[in-house]
């Protein structure tokens, strides 16, 4: 069963035309994910792996779909066309797959039903993703007709530049999009979370970390019984949009309604009346106003209304900050240390006030402004040790270089602390080539890259997504893309 | 040696019959004198090889020879580098490469200028290293601690006086060396609550923890008291710990057996009682130089049924306090009241009445004590093995007779500065187990008393006759005859002593420490006799023996190859004598003040040829007379200079 299955995966990959950036992305990624898992697969057969291919494909689809929706936001006919052609390709692929299955069914009559159902699931997922994409493509036209948004969120632009390389993050967001637009859960959603448990852990991790922050501005002790308040769930676009108030005449966007009203004066005398300039009155309190609480549009998030232990957010600002901190790329980098990254600009400014004052370091790369905080951190986490300051540890690092292989976290930490940007490229390659090997990697090598994502929580299990993030950094700088892909090809060929 | 070789050709070597184990057992019995084993190894090649395999501990004199020595002895488990004042990186790497998995214990306590890369190599290569002594490493930094932290199997670590270490370094050790059982941080002034707290959290195996003079406060105590196996806790001189928050601890550390809270000025009885509540197993309690011992403090000891030893040195003690201690403690073995004020006959005799099983009693400088107490002690505490009563000036000479009559088990007796006379000594000579006897400044004793001691105490190892001016050669002769095991003798300022005494003492072949300061009649002849007879001599003080000159030094240099420490001040030794001394390879510590015949160039030559010198006490005038590069060179080799500018003392008389 498994050799066949693998074969199908390979053929599937080979069958995809290898021209556009999208398809490139498609061919590359399954390999990344598959190679290590295939090794496993051939040795032991476990139910979670049966849906592996299918899930992977659906994720690919989601990733593309998500990017397409981003593009659609600023309504661009060429992007639309691109999307449609992609969909077309996708359908062709599917067609081929079905052909294959039909052909295979002849050969493998004796196979257990599992295999058949698995193939069905595979198809099902692909079809779902195509449908979802179609819907979102169509649906996203609507807002863009109303107002031509001047700019997409900055992160989108970044993704565009990166081409297909940034699979993980869009992939995740794609999942959200999927739910938003569809309104119902995609059939394979649970499956996905099972297998790609690693990526889920990362999400959770982020959530946990930021929940701590949020609980400061959000209400911790508030225990409103469900139903006593009205839940509002802003769309993702609404959250990420730089402006919330738009001039109906010229389309210019504003952050505050008051600014818009001031702007409107330019469009005619009728906007200059005291009534027009006055703050719009709130609804008369005839009907008892329900307390408003907000839900995060990200499914699976604790702040999402579908979550079992849903904790509502108090204001729209809370939602915005929460969403950006937890589910968005951290695009603001501290100009001083060049390591800490933030998704909310206010957080960056807060950090920059204290940046450089953190002189207490842990071997995991985390810095602390107070010694007792560092020692609390070390007390809490196994294997973390205080890192001796750079100038003093130079003597220590010298001889330890030769024994790189069996270095403990300690030295790795102290050595990596003043890492040059290129130093991580090795680890980047490594992580791509054997994702699996690094899944259980201790805080050691990757710590300097990762800790800013994790804050002090470096010791949590490290999902492969981390690696892809470090590979992300590496892909930006180097042209290893090609060789790495070859490597992956070789591997898979060897296995086939 | 050559003859022996010829006599035992390999074919008929009788030792071939013996298995290696048996020869090892024989060698085990040769531990006493290091020269014996050396002689053994020089017999023949097979003996040499056997001895090489047998040796487990090594105490090299020079680090230069380490590579050769280590390749000769492959089974070394314990390496004592206290004789090497400087251990270079090269030596460290040769150690770590040669002793890889055998080495279990290493002692750097007298070595300076260790580099952290060297330590790192050691910690990484010698995986079975269990003990490291880094005491006195005042220049060791946190990075060195990070290196030590690589020794994952470390169980014992001494870091006394490593003043440059901070919490960060200790944190590394705490995380790296999880198996630590003993940790001494005495005088590590840079280590505070955080470091100590982390040690207590991470190293759960700790049995013994020395936190003397650390700037710690109550904050780290909760985690220390949670240590499951902690048996020995020393909190001497922790001024930051006070009563206020000690009250929080309802339960102390259950496993604790020994607690030292000396000089903790801010802890009174309330803090102490909360700290020792729940420590039912406590056996040793030291509260020296602390708050006054009153009834209420003594009441805190109520529950400590296992308590065997109490040390209250230097405390103010009330009579009632002493009585309460006597009441609460069930079986006290050891009581130290040295320099306590407030110890009276009433209090002391009440203790003695209740605690008849006392084996060690220290009442040094309890000046209110009279014959009554001594009579009580002598009558009731017959099992005393150690009794120290220096400067108990009110005690009459008759009292000492009582001690000798009753306390036959005495092994250590300190009678310094007392009224004891020959009658007393005669009585004390009945203590046939006596090993240490201190009779300094006992002006009433004469040769007759010593004669009794010499006859009655064959096991005597230490005899102190400092300024007991009634002693002459006759007494010493009797001692030398009777006490052939003598290891230490002090006859400083016994002005009647002549070369005859030295001649008789040269029969005591075990003599290690010899102090004859201010004996003006001694000449080089006497010294030569000692040098020839006492091969074990390691410490020699002949300060103010004006008649000793280069002739003595030449003989000393030739025969006393184990000499480490010498004081030559005010003698007639010149450059020649000093230069010849420099040929003793062990010599580490030299004091030469006011040597008239010493020239700067002679001194420089001597200093250069003393490779193992660690401490040199000189007149400060030489600081300017010696070339600066020479001093720098010597300091780099690990020698520390102490400069003194004492004025030449013309009169030596102490008592008119």
């Amino acid at each position: 069963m498994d050799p066949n299955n693998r074969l199908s995966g390979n053929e599937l990959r080979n069958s995809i035309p290898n021209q556009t950036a999208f398809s490139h992305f498609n061919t590359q990624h399954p390999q990344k994910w598959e190679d290590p898992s295939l090794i496993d697969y051939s040795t032991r057969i476990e139910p979670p792996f049966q849906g592996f291919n299918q899930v992977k494909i659906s994720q690919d689809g989601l990733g593309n779909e998500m990017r397409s929706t981003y593009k659609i936001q600023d309504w661009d006919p060429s992007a639309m066309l691109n999307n449609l052609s992609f969909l077309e390709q996708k359908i062709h692929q599917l067609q081929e797959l079905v052909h294959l299955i039909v052909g295979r069914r002849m050969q493998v009559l004796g196979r257990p039903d599992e295999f058949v159902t698995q193939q069905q699931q595979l198809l099902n997922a692909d079809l779902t993703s195509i449908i979802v994409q179609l819907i979102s493509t169509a649906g996203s036209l609507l807002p863009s007709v109303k107002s031509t948004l001047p700019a997409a969120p900055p992160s989108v632009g970044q993704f565009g530049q990166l081409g297909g390389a940034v699979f993980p993050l869009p992939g995740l967001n794609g999942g959200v999009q999927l739910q938003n637009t569809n309104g119902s859960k995609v059939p394979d959603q649970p499956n996905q979370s099972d297998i790609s448990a690693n990526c889920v852990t990362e999400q959770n991790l982020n959530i946990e970390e930021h929940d701590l922050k949020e609980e400061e501005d959000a209400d911790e002790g508030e225990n409103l019984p469900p139903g006593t308040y009205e839940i509002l769930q802003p769309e993702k676009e609404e959250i990420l949009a730089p402006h919330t108030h738009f001039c109906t005449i010229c389309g210019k966007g504003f952050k505050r309604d008051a600014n818009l009203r001031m702007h409107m004066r330019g469009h005619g005398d009728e906007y200059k009346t005291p009534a027009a300039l006055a703050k719009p009155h709130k609804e008369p309190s005839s009907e008892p106003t329900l307390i408003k609480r907000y839900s995060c549009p990200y499914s699976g998030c604790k702040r999402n209304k579908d979550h079992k232990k849903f904790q509502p957010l108090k204001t729209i600002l809370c939602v915005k900050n929460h969403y950006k901190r937890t589910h968005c790329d951290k695009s603001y980098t501290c100009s001083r240390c060049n390591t800490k990254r933030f998704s909310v600009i206010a957080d960056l400014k807060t950090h920059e006030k204290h940046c450089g004052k953190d002189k207490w370091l842990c071997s995991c790369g985390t810095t602390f402004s107070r010694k007792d905080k560092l020692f609390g951190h070390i007390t809490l986490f196994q294997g973390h040790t205080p890192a001796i300051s750079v100038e003093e540890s130079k003597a220590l690092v010298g001889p330890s270089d030769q024994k790189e292989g069996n270095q403990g976290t300690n030295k790795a930490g102290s050595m990596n602390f003043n890492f040059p940007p290129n130093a991580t490229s090795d680890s980047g390659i490594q992580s791509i080539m054997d994702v699996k090997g690094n899944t259980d990697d201790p805080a050691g090598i990757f710590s300097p890259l990762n800790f800013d994502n994790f804050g002090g929580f470096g010791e949590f299990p490290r999902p492969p997504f981390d690696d892809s993030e470090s590979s992300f950094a590496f892909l930006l700088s180097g042209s290893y893309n090609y060789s790495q892909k070859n490597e992956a090809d070789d591997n898979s060929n060897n296995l086939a | 040696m050559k003859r022996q070789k010829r006599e035992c050709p390999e074919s008929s070597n009788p030792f071939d019959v013996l298995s290696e184990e048996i020869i090892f057992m024989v060698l085990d019995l040769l531990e006493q004198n290091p020269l014996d084993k050396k002689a053994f190894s020089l017999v023949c090649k097979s003996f040499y090889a056997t001895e090489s395999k047998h040796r487990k501990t090594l105490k090299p004199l020079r680090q230069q020879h380490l590579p050769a020595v280590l390749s000769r002895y492959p089974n070394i488990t314990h390496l004592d580098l206290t004789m090497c004042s400087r251990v270079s990186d090269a030596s460290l790497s040769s150690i770590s490469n040669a002793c890889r998995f055998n080495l279990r214990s290493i002692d750097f306590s007298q070595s300076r200028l260790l580099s952290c890369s060297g330590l790192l190599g050691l910690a990484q290569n010698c995986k079975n290293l269990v003990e490291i002594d880094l005491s006195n490493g005042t220049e060791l930094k946190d990075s060195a601690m990070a290196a030590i932290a690589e020794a994952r199997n470390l169980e014992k670590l001494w870091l006394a006086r490593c003043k440059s270490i901070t919490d960060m370094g200790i944190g590394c050790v705490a995380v790296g060396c999880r198996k630590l059982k003993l940790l001494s941080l005495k005088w590590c002034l840079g280590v505070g609550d955080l470091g100590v707290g982390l040690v207590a959290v991470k190293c759960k195996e700790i049995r013994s923890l020395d936190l003397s003079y650390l700037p710690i406060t109550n904050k780290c105590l909760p985690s220390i008291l949670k240590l499951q196996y902690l048996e020995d806790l020393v909190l001497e001189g922790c001024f930051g710990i006070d009563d206020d928050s000690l009250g929080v601890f309802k339960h102390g550390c259950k496993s604790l057996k020994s607690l030292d809270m000396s000089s903790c000025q801010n802890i009174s009885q309330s803090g102490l009682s909360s700290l020792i509540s729940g420590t039912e197993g406590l056996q040793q309690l030291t509260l020296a130089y602390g708050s006054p011992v009153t009834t209420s403090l003594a009441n805190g000891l109520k529950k400590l049924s296992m308590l065997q030893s109490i040390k209250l040195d230097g405390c103010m003690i009330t009579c009632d306090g002493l009585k309460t201690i006597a009441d609460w403690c069930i079986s006290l073995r050891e009581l130290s009241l040295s320099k306590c004020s407030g110890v009276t006959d009433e209090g002391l005799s009440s203790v003695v009445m209740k605690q008849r099983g006392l084996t060690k009693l220290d009442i040094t400088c309890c000046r209110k004590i009279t014959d009554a107490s001594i009579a009580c002690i002598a009558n009731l505490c017959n099992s005393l093995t150690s009794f120290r009563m220096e400067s108990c000036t009110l005690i009459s000479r008759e009292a000492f007779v009582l001690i000798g009559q009753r306390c036959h088990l005495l092994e250590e007796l300190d009678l310094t500065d007392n009224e004891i006379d020959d009658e007393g000594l005669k009585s004390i000579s009945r203590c046939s187990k006596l090993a240490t006897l201190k009779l300094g400044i006992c002006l009433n004793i004469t040769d007759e008393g010593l004669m009794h001691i010499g006859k009655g105490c064959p096991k005597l190892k230490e005899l102190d006759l400092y300024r007991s001016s009634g002693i002459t050669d006759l007494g010493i002769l009797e001692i030398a005859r009777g006490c052939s095991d003598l290891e230490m003798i002090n006859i400083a300022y016994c002005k009647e002593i002549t070369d005859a005494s030295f001649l008789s003492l040269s029969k005591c072949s075990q003599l290690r420490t010899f102090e004859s300061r201010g004996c003006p009649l001694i000449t080089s002849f006497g010294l030569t006799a000692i040098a020839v007879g006492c091969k074990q001599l390691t410490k020699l003080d002949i300060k103010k023996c004006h008649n000793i000159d280069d002739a003595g030094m030449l003989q000393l240099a030739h025969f006393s190859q184990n000499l480490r420490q010498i004081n030559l001040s005010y003698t007639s030794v010149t450059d020649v004598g000093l230069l010849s001394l420099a040929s003793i390879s062990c010599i580490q510590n030299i004091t030469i003040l006011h040597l008239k015949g010493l020239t700067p160039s002679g001194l420089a030559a001597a200093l250069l040829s003393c490779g193992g010198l660690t401490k040199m006490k000189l007149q400060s005038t030489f600081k300017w007379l010696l070339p600066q590069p020479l001093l720098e060179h010597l300091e780099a080799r690990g020698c520390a200079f102490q400069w003194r500018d004492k004025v030449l003392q013309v009169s030596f008389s102490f008592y008119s």
Side-chain angles (χ1 to χ4, degrees), chain A residues 62 65-66 132 169-184 186 189 192 203 233-236 296-301 304 323 327:
Chain A
L62 295 177
E65 166 246 334
M66 177 265 170
V132 165
L169 222 83
L172 292 176
N173 288 343
V176 183
Q177 187 73 17
L178 192 79
Q179 210 203 2
N180 286 343
T181 46
N182 242 2
S184 67
V186 186
Q189 190 87 12
Q192 176 185 0
Q203 296 167 22
Q233 181 170 300
E235 289 299 313
K236 193 185 75 185
C296 168
Y298 194 96
S299 81
C301 173
N304 181 269
Y323 191 87
H327 311 300

Side-chain angles (χ1 to χ4, degrees), chain B residues 6-20:
Chain B
R6 237 175 282 140
E7 274 168 11
C8 323
E10 280 179 49
S11 53
S12 65
N13 186 353
F15 281 91
D16 286 346
V17 187
L18 299 175
S19 71
E20 205 166 55

Side-chain angles (χ1 to χ4, degrees), chain A residues 211-384:
Chain A
D211 273 352
L212 295 175
K213 268 191 208 166
E214 255 158 37
E215 261 142 29
E216 287 161 16
D217 46 2
D219 37 349
E220 203 181 349
E222 193 186 51
N223 257 331
L224 292 172
T228 57
Y229 53 89
E230 181 187 5
I231 301 173
L232 302 176
Q233 181 170 300
E235 289 299 313
K236 193 185 75 185
E237 290 76 13
E238 193 181 328
I239 288 170
L240 295 177
H243 302 138
T244 43
H245 305 276
F246 295 99
C247 173
T248 47
I249 296 164
C250 67
K252 193 173 181 193
F254 296 91
K255 274 183 186 165
R256 296 170 215 278
D257 186 46
N259 293 351
L260 174 64
R261 272 179 273 130
M262 291 301 120
H263 163 84
M264 292 308 281
R265 289 177 302 178
H267 284 302
D269 282 345
E270 66 266 38
Y271 299 110
K272 288 179 181 167
T273 61
L277 283 171
K279 209 175 177 180
H281 283 289
K282 284 192 178 155
E283 301 280 307
S285 57
S286 56
E287 49 190 277
T289 46
L290 220 52
I291 310 167
K292 281 178 190 164
R293 285 295 177 266
Y294 294 84
S295 158
C296 168
Y298 194 96
S299 81
C301 173
K302 205 179 180 184
R303 304 296 193 176
N304 181 269
K305 60 188 172 191
D306 295 333
H307 194 277
K308 263 186 275 177
K309 293 175 181 173
F310 171 55
Q311 284 189 328
L313 292 153
K314 224 171 184 175
T315 65
I316 184 74
L317 201 70
C318 290
V319 187
K320 283 185 174 180
N321 281 342
H322 159 82
Y323 191 87
K324 284 180 191 166
R325 278 177 188 147
T326 317
H327 311 300
C328 284
D329 193 36
K330 294 176 178 178
S331 44
Y332 302 110
T333 309
C334 171
S335 55
R336 287 198 208 179
C337 62
N338 277 323
T339 36
K340 288 255 183 195
R341 295 185 298 156
F342 303 90
S343 44
V344 177
I345 199 151
D347 292 352
L348 172 71
K349 282 180 180 163
T350 314
H351 161 79
E352 277 181 336
K353 270 183 209 160
H354 302 285
C355 184
K357 289 177 191 166
D358 295 353
K359 48 183 177 174
W360 303 106
L361 357 155
C362 176
S363 57
C364 70
T366 319
T367 55
F368 299 87
S369 54
R370 283 169 54 180
K371 189 159 75 164
D372 55 335
K373 298 290 174 198
L374 167 68
F375 275 75
H377 166 86
I378 287 165
T379 308
L380 217 56
F381 294 107
Q382 292 278 316
H384 289 205

Side-chain angles (χ1 to χ4, degrees), chain B residues 180-474:
Chain B
L180 270 187
K181 292 199 170 103
L182 181 147
L183 180 62
S184 171
L185 295 173
K186 192 172 183 172
W187 286 113
C188 291
L189 299 176
V191 177
D193 281 329
L194 293 170
V196 173
L198 194 66
V199 167
V201 167
K202 296 283 183 183
C203 306
K204 295 287 184 198
E205 301 273 302
I206 282 198
R207 263 92 171 147
S208 173
L209 192 56
D210 189 341
L211 304 174
S212 309
Y213 301 99
L214 293 195
I216 51 171
T217 67
N218 300 313
K219 280 180 198 160
C220 65
L221 279 180
S223 42
I224 291 174
L225 295 181
K226 274 183 204 144
L227 284 169
Q228 259 188 319
Y229 306 107
L230 189 65
E231 288 176 0
D232 186 3
L233 179 61
V234 185
L235 294 172
E236 187 182 345
C238 294
F239 305 122
I241 300 177
D242 56 30
D243 282 345
D244 291 345
S245 50
L246 278 179
V248 180
F249 304 123
K250 290 284 170 281
H251 298 288
C253 187
K254 285 216 171 67
S255 55
L256 210 60
K257 285 187 179 154
S258 161
L259 178 64
D260 187 343
M261 302 205 55
S262 307
S263 313
C264 290
Q265 294 157 347
N266 297 324
I267 297 185
S268 68
Q269 47 93 13
S270 65
L272 180 72
S273 61
S274 56
L275 197 61
I276 61 178
S277 63
T279 56
E280 276 96 3
L282 202 68
Q283 292 175 355
Q284 260 191 47
L285 184 61
T286 308
L287 299 171
Y289 303 98
S291 53
V293 181
T294 57
T295 317
S296 54
L297 186 134
N299 273 329
L301 310 180
K302 204 182 205 169
K303 286 176 188 163
L304 305 176
S305 57
M306 306 287 283
L307 205 59
Q308 291 184 351
S309 160
I310 302 181
K311 288 182 182 159
L312 301 167
D313 305 3
C315 290
M316 215 287 287
I317 295 185
T318 65
C319 187
D320 290 334
L322 214 49
K323 279 181 183 168
T324 324
I325 288 178
D327 286 341
W328 292 132
C329 296
I330 294 167
S331 58
L332 216 52
R333 296 259 173 278
E334 214 180 318
L335 180 63
S336 179
L337 300 170
S338 157
K339 296 175 193 172
C340 287
S341 56
V343 178
T344 58
D345 278 341
E346 192 191 352
L348 190 58
S349 45
S350 69
V351 171
V352 171
M353 300 276 240
K354 291 269 171 54
Q355 308 291 340
R356 302 192 177 193
L358 275 179
T359 57
K360 285 188 172 183
L361 183 60
D362 189 342
I363 50 167
T364 301
C365 299
C366 293
R367 296 182 204 272
K368 291 178 186 167
I369 298 293
T370 67
D371 289 0
S373 295
I374 299 300
C376 219
I377 292 166
N379 284 326
L380 298 172
C381 303
N382 294 329
S383 48
L384 268 187
T385 59
S386 163
F387 188 28
R388 305 170 69 125
M389 46 178 293
E390 181 184 340
S391 293
C392 293
T393 36
L394 290 183
I395 294 171
S396 68
R397 49 185 75 186
E398 287 79 25
F400 299 100
V401 180
L402 269 180
I403 294 173
Q405 279 170 348
R406 298 299 182 109
C407 306
H408 295 296
L409 299 176
L410 276 177
E411 289 167 19
E412 185 191 9
L413 186 57
D414 186 348
L415 300 172
T416 307
D417 195 11
N418 270 312
E419 294 298 312
I420 187 169
D421 61 359
D422 290 340
E423 278 303 302
L425 279 185
K426 186 182 175 185
S427 164
I428 280 164
S429 70
R430 291 188 208 181
C431 306
S432 57
K433 292 183 174 176
L434 208 60
T436 302
L437 181 60
K438 298 201 170 176
L439 298 169
I441 327 179
C442 292
L443 306 176
N444 300 328
I445 57 167
T446 65
D447 294 336
E448 197 198 330
L450 276 194
M451 192 183 73
H452 289 296
I453 295 293
K455 281 178 181 160
C457 310
K459 295 187 173 170
L460 205 63
K461 288 196 158 120
E462 280 187 41
L463 181 61
D464 185 354
L465 297 168
Y466 174 85
R467 284 193 199 272
S468 293
S469 45
I471 305 296
T472 68
D473 291 339
L474 273 178

